[in-house]
Amino acid sequence: MNLEHVFVCGNPALDFAATLRARRSARFEMFVSPDRLNAWYVESGVVDFVSPGQDSDVEEAIVVREAVYRLVTARRLGEPYDDEALTVVNAAARKPAAAPRLTTAGRRTDATPAEALATVARQAVELLSGPDVPLMKECGNPECTRVYIDRSRGMRRQWCGMESCGNKIKAAAYRARKKQAQTATAH
């Protein structure tokens, strides 16, 4: 399987919220089709299979994703929840979720797009009402808007992921220091 999505946030609900990239600048939408949305559900491990979806499934997922992002941001900043976002996430979480089943090969979860979305919404409810709330941080890369769970020793992690953001920022800082040192020795 060719993974096209990045899962560095430490929680499926946070990875889901991060599917709109670079919210402050270039905005890059990952959910451009029902197939891309379904690929996210499978690649994230939320479900093993999703039945084909419609454009309306993508539209609904984007509405829920944005509500999750608003709630995560409010919770992280210690601000009150947006009532509309609460309504959207709670309504999605109330719908039937994907049900795992035991097979001779192990556990398998097949879902409709609506069941997969309900599963993610429930994960958001669990996250935002659970013990990981104090561990939520926003990536230190100014271009990135991912929120992640920092389980590092001493809570010193600064990036959503080294490959996706940390290496870029560290390399840029190194180049800036090197350039500054060259400029200083040239004078």
Side-chain angles (χ1 to χ4, degrees):
M1 177 170 44
N2 181 19
L3 298 180
E4 295 186 30
H5 298 282
V6 177
F7 302 95
V8 294
C9 299
N11 181 287
L14 293 177
D15 286 316
F16 187 72
T19 59
L20 178 60
R21 304 270 169 79
R23 289 172 180 271
R24 288 188 280 272
S25 57
R27 290 183 163 253
F28 181 75
E29 177 62 65
M30 299 299 294
F31 296 156
V32 294
S33 70
D35 289 345
R36 294 305 314 131
L37 173 62
N38 285 358
W40 186 92
Y41 289 136
V42 173
E43 291 171 20
S44 70
V46 169
V47 297
D48 298 304
F49 172 80
V50 185
S51 59
Q54 309 292 320
D55 288 340
S56 60
D57 295 316
V58 175
E59 293 162 12
E60 185 178 0
I62 288 171
V63 168
V64 172
R65 178 195 63 204
E66 292 308 299
V68 168
Y69 183 77
R70 288 196 313 271
L71 295 176
V72 164
T73 299
R75 185 76 173 174
R76 190 177 55 75
L77 298 175
E79 296 174 354
Y81 285 140
D82 175 80
D83 288 337
E84 181 185 341
L86 276 175
T87 300
V88 167
V89 171
N90 285 329
R94 269 195 301 276
K95 293 180 179 173
R101 61 187 168 90
L102 190 59
T103 70
T104 55
R107 181 178 195 248
R108 179 159 174 97
T109 305
D110 294 342
T112 65
E115 290 168 338
L117 182 59
T119 302
V120 173
R122 289 178 184 197
Q123 290 170 334
V125 169
E126 292 302 319
L127 170 68
L128 292 168
S129 62
D132 287 342
V133 168
L135 306 179
M136 290 192 308
K137 285 184 172 179
E138 187 177 64
C139 183
N141 176 352
E143 294 298 311
C144 183
T145 53
R146 286 188 189 114
V147 174
Y148 63 92
I149 303 294
D150 183 0
R151 296 188 197 291
S152 67
R153 189 182 332 206
M155 288 192 58
R156 293 183 171 201
R157 184 171 151 195
Q158 297 177 33
W159 325 109
C160 60
M162 278 308 292
E163 286 184 23
S164 51
C165 287
N167 285 340
K168 292 174 192 168
I169 299 298
K170 286 184 172 195
Y174 172 78
R175 285 190 302 274
R177 284 192 308 273
K178 192 172 179 178
K179 184 177 181 181
Q180 187 176 27
Q182 287 172 345
T183 305
T185 58
H187 292 286

